[in-house]
Amino acid sequence: MSVSLSARNIVKHYGGVVAISDANLDVHTGEVVALIGANGSGKSTLSKIINGVVVLDGGQLLLDEKPVHFSSPQAAKNLGISTVFQELSLIPQMTVAENIWLTREPLNKAGLVDRKTVNARTEELLALFEGTYKNSLNPDITVGALPADEKQIIEILKAICFNPRLIILDEATASLDRRQVQRLFELIAQWKLEDKAVIFVSHRMEEIFRIADTFSVLRNGVTVGSGSMKDISEKELVNLMVAKESASNVVQRERLVQENSTDRKVRLEVENLRTNILKNISLQLKDGELLGVGGLVGQGQKDLLLALFGDLPYEGTVKISNESVHFKNTRQAINKGVALVPGERSKEGLLYIRSILENLLLPSWGKYGFPTKIKKAVQDSQEISTSLNLKMAGLDEPVSSLSGGNAQKVVIGKWLLRKPKLLLLDDPTKGVDVGTKAEFYKLLERLCADGTAILFYSSDDDELIGLCDRVMVMHDGIMRSELKGASLTKSNLIGASLGATNEGMG
Amino acid sequence: MKKIRWQYIAFRNPYLFALLLLILAAAVNFFFEPDLFTRDTLNSNMRVFLPLILLAVGQAIVILGGGIDISVGAIVSIVNTILATQLGTGASPQRTALMLVAVLFVGMAAGALNGFFVSYLRLQPIITTYASSFLFAGVALFILPAPGGSVPDSISHFYRDTTFLGLPLGFIIIPILLLVWYLVQQTRYGRYLYAVGGKADAAYQTAVPVNTIRFSTYVASGFMAALSGIAITLLTSAGNASIGDALTLSSVTAAVIGGTALRGGVGGIAGAIIGALILGLIKNIISFANINLWWQTFANAAIIVGALAAPGVIELVRRKRS
């Protein structure tokens, strides 16, 4: 069951925008190739050409050395190519089993879907990730009700259910926790033994070095390098991606040696905050302080941010600048100088088809709306996009024309226009390329220096350790521990994340 | 915990609300009409309800697939006018059979036109089928400018008075519909239908033939509209180019009451059948209670607005409570 796939000189453009102009990729049986590139470099487009979702405009795909043309996802799937999509291809209203087997349902002799077999085989597939998800995950549960990491697991199982020959993993680890990633990597190792080929698309360098055999780097739609992972260092790889030396060492430990902030005012004080998920969270955040929130994915971090933003009912005391507040909606929170950069920017943060300008001004019409000060509004928007180094064709372009990293800048920019006093960040660097991340870290430092209090949830441990003054680690809705100063190390963070009770002992 | 359980029940039994409403409507109707459950009354009710039941089933399929078909009433009118003008009282059984098959194809062709516009030209379903409804209504008027025409007595008698195994015709047709639907749900096609209605992008990426499925829902709806047109023609034994007009909104209402979500991917035809029965009973109640006829329109409209608002209201109440 050997397989080889080559993409030669692939070209794809959308209207006048060239997404990829000369992309090349080779992958063979028993091999994991890492497809690497900054956001907007064309990785997703290339993988969507290989799986038939997007039809190429030029170049050639060779499967087992024979030219193939995929005019639809069916064509690619029938030849054994399957994909774990970055944005997931699950139907929320359907059950786990229905989703996994969609289009590949085992049929009985009468041509009807054989439910018994479906359920039995779904159980077998779920067993592959046994112990890394909550026990409630079963074939009959509706996918829409699942947390992000379990959805991701279902998406992976869906891709492997029909025993494909080539598996494309597009940011498949983004919402998985450590144990789940570990399990996935064990599976990948097994697939290699089964002569499958894997295309691994990821932003996480550490994972690429752990799992990939070869690499292929895309930059602005052109393949700029490929070879064996053994022959390249992380720094060289990053340089290939961004083509500038500076972006390599992304996280710096500058902020740890901050001036002692006793003279700063307390911006946010939370006591015994409770929701369905959160249990008695208490915290204090001063002006100019960057407080990290860490832990495994889905331990209540998002709920904490949403509750503080008035988007989730809660009990308990919340004080902003020593004034007791109880936000019933987000407008009340916004009026108190709170801003939230949400986790799912495409759904919660942006109006994709509207212009960048409209998106930026959306929360600020109170300032510019009556009487209208359009000139000032455009000018301020221009300023903020320049200061964020937003790469765009113009303020009138729709947000959908931007790459992931630049779209995220718009989300941040629209809140910065309001000059928030308390900024809540929900995993803002998820799926953002290294170059943009580096810019983003600088921005956070600048905001802190200006006195903004920031509550920063991130699924990237290095980020938390590198940037934050203190990190709260959450586990199952409670605050497991608070790490600061010398205790803020990766091993402590990981230990606390996993819910290990060694905290008291060590 | 309680909240989750309620959602679970509602998800597992999407027809629960409709069934409760059906029982309520039947009870009120029974109060006004104590012989409701005798065979003759059931029969006379069923033959009146059947056109809407058939239409609502087709509508539910389209809505499940993520679309909507506003042209079904006009398709009913076309079928009605064709039959009334082409058959007359004296048509031979062969000609009658031929015409009945022919109008089924007419219905499917009309549905195919809608399907082509919506799935291959990617036009908005509601606008497209609203526009095509005028096209179809125009065709019906062209065929039969003024009410008139007729059909052979034998077949309308068959429709009105058949009590197969002692059961009114409707009690035969509904189980057949349910059985067919049950089988469809077990096929890949059934899964594809829910997938396309649930999230078309994801379905496409999963290699579901999205366009074909969408197209097929409109053809199915056209077919059901033709069946509905046949039923209403046999019921009235006459032609009228605007006979289907009032049915369109009712078919959507029936599907929605029956738990078919207008955003697609949730529901089924059993709910639509129950919904159509409820609407029929309400119509009865209104006429028995000597309420002015415009109340019927009002009640119909109130139900659809209420059904549309219900999920939102429930969500609002839940949020307030927590």
Side-chain angles (χ1 to χ4, degrees), chain B residues 164-240:
Chain B
F164 184 71
L165 294 173
L167 288 169
L169 194 60
F171 286 85
I172 311 294
I173 291 179
I174 290 175
I176 292 174
L177 289 174
L178 290 177
L179 181 72
V180 171
W181 180 247
Y182 176 76
L183 290 175
V184 167
Q185 277 187 308
Q186 311 295 308
T187 61
R188 281 194 178 150
Y189 176 83
R191 296 288 167 89
Y192 290 0
L193 182 58
Y194 282 88
V196 170
K199 201 174 172 192
D201 291 355
Y204 178 73
Q205 292 179 338
T206 315
V208 172
V210 174
N211 283 343
T212 316
I213 298 293
R214 273 206 187 120
F215 179 77
S216 74
T217 62
Y218 288 92
V219 176
S221 160
F223 178 79
M224 294 310 294
L227 280 182
S228 172
I230 293 173
I232 208 164
T233 309
L234 301 188
L235 177 72
T236 59
S237 299
N240 179 349

Side-chain angles (χ1 to χ4, degrees), chain B residues 131-146:
Chain B
S132 70
S133 76
F134 285 95
L135 187 70
F136 300 152
V139 172
L141 266 175
F142 174 75
I143 297 171
L144 186 67

Side-chain angles (χ1 to χ4, degrees), chain B residues 22 25-26 29 36 49 276-286:
Chain B
L22 178 65
N29 200 342
L36 176 66
F49 296 170
L277 289 174
I278 294 170
L279 289 183
L281 288 172
I282 289 175
K283 215 168 172 177
N284 274 352
I285 294 168
I286 285 170

Side-chain angles (χ1 to χ4, degrees), chain B residues 248-266:
Chain B
T248 302
L249 183 63
S250 294
S251 73
V252 178
T253 316
V256 170
I257 297 177
T260 303
L262 279 175
R263 63 174 190 282
V266 178

Side-chain angles (χ1 to χ4, degrees), chain A residues 47-90:
Chain A
S47 43
K48 282 183 177 165
I49 281 170
I50 295 172
N51 62 32
V53 170
V54 169
V55 179
L56 51 79
D57 292 329
Q60 184 65 59
L61 282 179
L62 301 167
L63 186 66
D64 302 326
E65 265 112 63
K66 287 188 284 287
V68 283
H69 176 74
F70 298 145
S71 55
S72 69
Q74 284 99 309
K77 204 169 175 177
N78 289 339
L79 289 171
I81 298 175
S82 85
T83 313
V84 171
F85 288 93
Q86 182 178 5
E87 67 279 21
L88 306 188
S89 64
L90 303 173

Side-chain angles (χ1 to χ4, degrees), chain A residues 83-88 129 148-149 151-153 155-156 159 167-177 180-181 184-185 188 191 198-204 207:
Chain A
T83 313
V84 171
F85 288 93
Q86 182 178 5
E87 67 279 21
L88 306 188
F129 278 89
D149 56 329
K151 280 186 188 151
Q152 183 73 60
I153 289 175
E155 175 81 10
I156 293 168
I167 303 165
I168 302 170
L169 297 168
D170 192 354
E171 299 287 349
T173 57
S175 41
L176 297 182
D177 69 35
Q180 291 160 342
V181 171
L184 174 63
F185 283 6
I188 293 177
W191 298 341
V198 177
I199 298 175
F200 187 77
V201 184
S202 176
H203 281 304
R204 297 186 182 175
E207 290 177 357

Side-chain angles (χ1 to χ4, degrees), chain A residues 58-326:
Chain A
Q60 184 65 59
L61 282 179
L62 301 167
L63 186 66
D64 302 326
E65 265 112 63
K66 287 188 284 287
V68 283
H69 176 74
F70 298 145
S71 55
S72 69
Q74 284 99 309
K77 204 169 175 177
N78 289 339
L79 289 171
I81 298 175
S82 85
T83 313
V84 171
F85 288 93
Q86 182 178 5
E87 67 279 21
L88 306 188
S89 64
L90 303 173
I91 317 288
Q93 299 92 333
M94 293 173 79
T95 66
V96 166
E98 286 169 347
N99 264 294
I100 289 179
W101 295 98
L102 188 61
T103 73
R104 287 294 180 273
E105 295 89 349
L107 302 177
N108 61 21
K109 278 180 196 142
L112 303 179
V113 176
D114 186 346
R115 283 196 185 169
K116 260 190 197 155
T117 314
V118 166
N119 272 11
R121 291 177 64 186
T122 307
E123 295 280 7
E124 280 171 31
L125 285 171
L126 286 174
L128 295 175
F129 278 89
E130 186 131 41
T132 65
Y133 53 82
K134 294 204 184 92
N135 292 327
S136 58
L137 191 55
N138 67 57
D140 291 324
I141 199 165
T142 311
V143 160
L146 297 175
D149 56 329
E150 292 180 7
K151 280 186 188 151
Q152 183 73 60
I153 289 175
I154 303 304
E155 175 81 10
I156 293 168
L157 298 179
K158 177 179 176 178
I160 61 174
C161 79
F162 66 102
N163 197 19
R165 300 192 295 161
L166 170 66
I167 303 165
I168 302 170
L169 297 168
D170 192 354
E171 299 287 349
T173 57
S175 41
L176 297 182
D177 69 35
R178 219 164 281 102
R179 290 167 302 167
Q180 291 160 342
V181 171
Q182 180 58 35
R183 192 63 60 89
L184 174 63
F185 283 6
E186 288 162 19
L187 286 176
I188 293 177
Q190 198 186 322
W191 298 341
K192 284 166 73 172
L193 295 178
E194 290 167 5
D195 282 345
K196 295 186 199 308
V198 177
I199 298 175
F200 187 77
V201 184
S202 176
H203 281 304
R204 297 186 182 175
M205 278 296 165
E206 175 235 339
E207 290 177 357
I208 290 166
F209 276 89
R210 259 170 78 192
I211 199 72
D213 303 302
T214 59
F215 67 89
S216 178
V217 180
L218 273 173
R219 188 170 70 221
N220 295 331
V222 180
T223 301
V224 290
S226 59
S228 168
M229 289 302 291
K230 290 192 201 87
D231 306 332
I232 194 156
S233 72
E234 185 169 331
K235 197 168 177 181
E236 289 167 322
L237 213 47
V238 171
N239 285 346
L240 266 178
M241 280 164 68
V242 296
K244 52 184 175 188
E245 282 284 339
S246 63
S248 56
N249 197 7
V250 278
V251 180
Q252 285 137 13
R253 262 182 174 279
E254 280 170 36
R255 281 194 45 83
L256 256 183
V257 259
Q258 258 260 333
E259 77 272 34
N260 205 339
S261 50
T262 37
D263 53 328
R264 303 258 190 178
K265 274 199 301 189
V266 176
R267 176 60 60 180
L268 172 72
E269 206 173 352
V270 176
E271 260 173 60
N272 293 326
L273 184 85
R274 296 179 301 278
T275 69
N276 284 346
I277 295 176
L278 301 176
K279 293 157 201 146
N280 295 326
I281 302 284
S282 300
L283 64 92
Q284 216 184 44
L285 178 59
K286 286 177 181 160
D287 276 349
E289 196 180 18
L290 182 60
L291 174 57
V293 180
L296 301 177
V297 171
Q299 303 298 322
Q301 296 98 333
K302 280 174 200 256
D303 292 71
L304 174 62
L305 298 182
L306 289 177
L308 291 175
F309 196 53
D311 203 9
L312 201 69
Y314 63 90
E315 289 163 52
T317 326
V318 176
K319 283 184 193 165
I320 289 190
S321 316
N322 267 327
E323 180 193 346
S324 247
V325 291
H326 197 117

Side-chain angles (χ1 to χ4, degrees), chain A residues 410-430:
Chain A
V410 176
V411 186
I412 296 165
K414 80 176 195 184
W415 291 112
L416 293 188
L417 268 177
R418 290 188 60 93
K419 303 195 173 34
K421 301 282 183 296
L422 171 61
L423 187 58
L424 310 170
L425 301 171
D426 182 356
D427 214 356
T429 58
K430 185 177 161 182

